[in-house]
Amino acid sequence: MQTELRGPTAVVTIGPDLPTVMIGERINPTGRKVFSAELQAGDLSRIPRDVQAQVMAGAGVLDVNVGAAGVDEVKWLPEAVKLVQETADVPVCIDSPNPQALAAALKVTQGRALVNSVNGEEARLSSVLPVVAEHGAAVIALCMDDDGIPTTPEDRLRVAEKILERAAKLGIGVESLVFDPLVLTIGSDHRAGLVTLETARLLREKLGCNMTVGASNSSHGMPNRELLNTVFLAQLITVGVNAPICNPVKNALAVRAADLMLGRDEWAMTYIQAYRTLSSMQEAAT
Amino acid sequence: MQTELRGPTAVVTIGPDLPTVMIGERINPTGRKVFSAELQAGDLSRIPRDVQAQVMAGAGVLDVNVGAAGVDEVKWLPEAVKLVQETADVPVCIDSPNPQALAAALKVTQGRALVNSVNGEEARLSSVLPVVAEHGAAVIALCMDDDGIPTTPEDRLRVAEKILERAAKLGIGVESLVFDPLVLTIGSDHRAGLVTLETARLLREKLGCNMTVGASNSSHGMPNRELLNTVFLAQLITVGVNAPICNPVKNALAVRAADLMLGRDEWAMTYIQAYRTLSSMQEAAT
């Protein structure tokens, strides 16, 4: 089961037992005041730097999100996607709740994008899946629906199966879906991490699918979030998550370490290279 | 499947889904020149400090090894065990290749010890298991035999089953065995970590047993060993290792983080407490 994404010429393959593909999360105004203000002023000049840093750190795909208050995503999401792909030969993960913005961005995308995201809500299924199908894109499928985020792995699997069924009707196969088992904050429910890990195990076992997750969401409010994120990423990758959304500048070495320990890195070449690159990026930053 | 160990009064239970029990590895002269020299001079005065630091950092069991060149283990291993248990109310993991030393140490042990170790070699089975049975102890069982360390998970399982069978004949049940799937150096074989993880998964699935492993052995010669050890511990705990041999002063927070993400730490109490304790230990050390 392999999901192929493409940039202008680059090909990135997500698959079980292949090296983990990091989806870089930085091009996103959420929690970034300066970037938000810039987007609101129509200034995209920060994007090339975020592209370069993330690609250098080992991102295989870049998430592109321009969703700040007052920003017209239909206009600016395509502009941002173009700029990302002018800066680096990389597949994009087009991130918006707005189906028109997704469609507009897909029109200017080079290669094959990942769309972020559909879920089991009727409104999303009927508005997003046709756009994905029309452009032959792949899509992230969140395991939640009109009843919210299920509390058990079995119920999250059921949502995944519903999305799969609806996608199939439009000719979108499981190899074009990247499922997100979803993670809630560990601080509000101490079983949140376990449910995510068990959901990922179950999805891999039952659907054989590729998976993403935004691991860092889980550690809000905890001390030493960096360690928690490292540990949780290692656990997620071990149970089958193979395309996490993360900040590669912070998380790449943990991801490469997890791959190394899972036998996916001959001679430890990728780990050692990542260690060198990230060390020199850190030095340059200080 | 629970393995119960006891100190003078303390009870420590190793079991699936219970919080991970760290076996503190520091009381061991291997790689510690000063401690080796002290042991050779009959000086055990460093031991109480190693006991206190490891217990404070969260060790549930303490490994006790006095195997330096020229040290009479039959004489000194019991002395070290007595001193450890005079310093803290903790079960011991009695670590020696010498069955006479194990027997002598077990005679003075308070509570129920873990013996480190037996393996599938005929000489070890016939010399160590009777001592374990006589004292009603538990024992670490390494998945290797007279043919060496098997290269596949299936062959390591076969060795585990052989040990299990031999132990059963002496009345030692699977709940008194803590299996070690074994880990080789990742630098000499990039599949070493994977084989260990797959062996652990297989042992848990087929035998339901509790497991230990010396995780840090795998990272020799690699850059950023601390991160590799953190990641590998998280992975091992995720696939069922629940009593790793480690340095709790260095590894406790990673272990507690892994437990937290596996839903074994209500309100994150243990993680947050460990964070505070280890932070103040680090401050005190600098």
Side-chain angles (χ1 to χ4, degrees):
Chain A
M1 176 82 57
Q2 299 195 338
T3 303
E4 193 179 287
L5 304 176
R6 293 187 299 278
T9 73
V11 177
V12 171
T13 307
I14 304 168
D17 304 326
L18 293 181
T20 299
V21 173
M22 285 178 280
I23 304 176
E25 72 186 5
R26 289 294 287 160
I27 305 172
N28 189 325
T30 310
R32 297 181 76 185
K33 280 188 189 174
V34 177
F35 187 38
S36 296
E38 288 169 353
L39 286 173
Q40 283 154 350
D43 171 9
L44 302 185
S45 63
R46 185 175 300 272
I47 288 179
R49 276 174 285 166
D50 281 335
V51 171
Q52 282 155 355
Q54 293 184 99
V55 168
M56 194 181 295
V61 178
L62 295 183
D63 192 84
V64 186
N65 182 315
V66 297
V71 171
D72 176 4
E73 292 190 48
V74 179
K75 176 176 178 194
W76 290 104
L77 191 56
E79 292 304 316
V81 164
K82 279 195 283 186
L83 183 53
V84 167
Q85 294 196 314
E86 282 161 15
T87 310
D89 182 5
V90 68
V92 287
C93 176
I94 303 174
D95 185 359
S96 173
N98 181 335
Q100 285 74 41
L102 294 175
L106 283 164
K107 280 202 188 85
V108 303
T109 298
Q110 299 181 68
R112 186 187 196 212
L114 184 62
V115 167
N116 189 0
S117 60
V118 72
N119 62 40
E121 292 169 8
E122 194 49 46
R124 297 294 292 168
L125 290 168
S126 56
S127 63
V128 175
L129 287 181
V131 178
V132 171
E134 185 191 337
H135 292 273
V139 61
I140 292 175
L142 312 182
C143 294
M144 58 177 287
D145 64 11
D146 292 293
D147 297 324
I149 300 177
T151 54
T152 69
E154 293 72 21
D155 286 342
R156 292 191 192 178
L157 170 65
R158 245 163 256 143
V159 174
E161 288 170 335
K162 178 170 82 174
I163 300 170
L164 199 57
E165 206 176 296
R166 291 289 291 269
K169 287 185 183 161
L170 298 176
I172 303 167
V174 61
E175 72 289 346
S176 294
L177 293 164
V178 177
F179 286 94
D180 185 338
L182 295 178
V183 59
L184 296 172
T185 309
I186 195 84
S188 50
D189 177 4
H190 80 280
R191 288 176 47 87
L194 178 65
V195 171
T196 304
L197 292 167
E198 290 301 324
T199 302
R201 241 195 271 258
L202 197 61
L203 288 171
R204 170 56 55 79
E205 183 193 330
K206 300 293 184 188
L207 309 180
C209 60
N210 295 315
M211 285 180 281
T212 187
V213 85
S216 63
N217 298 337
S218 64
S219 61
H220 278 292
M222 284 288 149
N224 204 342
R225 289 189 64 184
E226 195 179 338
L227 175 74
L228 273 175
N229 293 343
T230 291
V231 162
F232 195 40
L233 268 170
Q235 294 179 304
L236 289 162
I237 291 169
T238 303
V239 299
V241 170
N242 48 11
I245 297 187
C246 62
N247 180 348
V249 178
K250 285 189 180 170
N251 302 130
L253 205 60
V255 169
R256 298 314 188 199
D259 277 353
L260 175 58
M261 291 324 212
L262 285 164
R264 301 172 183 172
D265 183 5
E266 204 165 357
W267 307 112
M269 297 269 282
T270 307
Y271 175 78
I272 291 169
Q273 186 58 55
Y275 173 77
R276 288 182 184 148
T277 304
L278 292 159
S279 299
S280 53
M281 285 176 80
Q282 266 173 353
E283 266 173 44
T286 58
Chain B
M1 173 83 57
Q2 299 195 338
T3 303
E4 192 178 289
L5 303 176
R6 292 187 300 278
T9 72
V11 177
V12 170
T13 307
I14 304 168
D17 305 324
L18 293 181
T20 300
V21 173
M22 285 179 280
I23 303 175
E25 71 186 6
R26 289 294 289 160
I27 305 173
N28 188 324
T30 310
R32 298 182 74 185
K33 279 189 189 172
V34 176
F35 187 39
S36 295
E38 287 170 353
L39 285 173
Q40 283 154 349
D43 171 8
L44 301 185
S45 63
R46 184 173 301 271
I47 288 180
R49 275 174 286 165
D50 281 334
V51 170
Q52 282 155 354
Q54 292 184 100
V55 168
M56 193 180 296
V61 178
L62 294 183
D63 192 85
V64 186
N65 181 315
V66 296
V71 171
D72 176 3
E73 293 191 47
V74 179
K75 176 175 178 195
W76 290 104
L77 191 56
E79 292 303 317
V81 164
K82 280 195 282 186
L83 182 53
V84 167
Q85 293 196 315
E86 282 161 17
T87 310
D89 182 6
V90 67
V92 286
C93 175
I94 303 174
D95 185 0
S96 172
N98 180 336
Q100 285 74 41
L102 293 175
L106 282 164
K107 281 204 186 85
V108 302
T109 297
Q110 299 180 66
R112 186 187 195 215
L114 183 62
V115 168
N116 189 1
S117 58
V118 71
N119 61 39
E121 292 168 9
E122 194 49 47
R124 297 294 292 170
L125 289 169
S126 57
S127 63
V128 174
L129 287 181
V131 178
V132 170
E134 186 191 336
H135 292 273
V139 61
I140 291 175
L142 312 181
C143 294
M144 58 177 287
D145 64 10
D146 292 293
D147 297 325
I149 299 177
T151 54
T152 68
E154 293 72 23
D155 286 343
R156 291 190 194 177
L157 170 65
R158 244 163 257 143
V159 173
E161 288 171 335
K162 177 171 83 175
I163 299 170
L164 198 57
E165 203 176 299
R166 290 289 293 269
K169 286 185 185 162
L170 298 175
I172 303 167
V174 61
E175 72 289 344
S176 294
L177 292 164
V178 177
F179 286 93
D180 185 338
L182 295 177
V183 59
L184 297 171
T185 310
I186 196 82
S188 50
D189 176 3
H190 80 281
R191 289 177 46 87
L194 178 64
V195 171
T196 304
L197 292 167
E198 290 301 322
T199 302
R201 242 194 270 259
L202 196 62
L203 288 172
R204 168 58 54 80
E205 182 194 329
K206 299 293 184 188
L207 309 180
C209 60
N210 294 316
M211 286 179 281
T212 187
V213 84
S216 64
N217 298 339
S218 63
S219 62
H220 278 291
M222 285 288 149
N224 203 342
R225 290 190 64 184
E226 195 179 338
L227 176 73
L228 273 175
N229 293 343
T230 291
V231 163
F232 195 40
L233 267 170
Q235 295 178 304
L236 289 162
I237 290 169
T238 303
V239 299
V241 170
N242 48 9
I245 297 187
C246 62
N247 180 348
V249 178
K250 286 189 180 173
N251 302 129
L253 205 60
V255 169
R256 296 316 186 199
D259 277 354
L260 174 59
M261 291 323 212
L262 285 164
R264 302 172 183 170
D265 183 5
E266 205 165 356
W267 307 111
M269 298 270 282
T270 306
Y271 175 77
I272 292 168
Q273 185 58 56
Y275 173 77
R276 289 181 184 149
T277 304
L278 292 159
S279 299
S280 54
M281 284 176 80
Q282 265 172 353
E283 267 174 44
T286 58

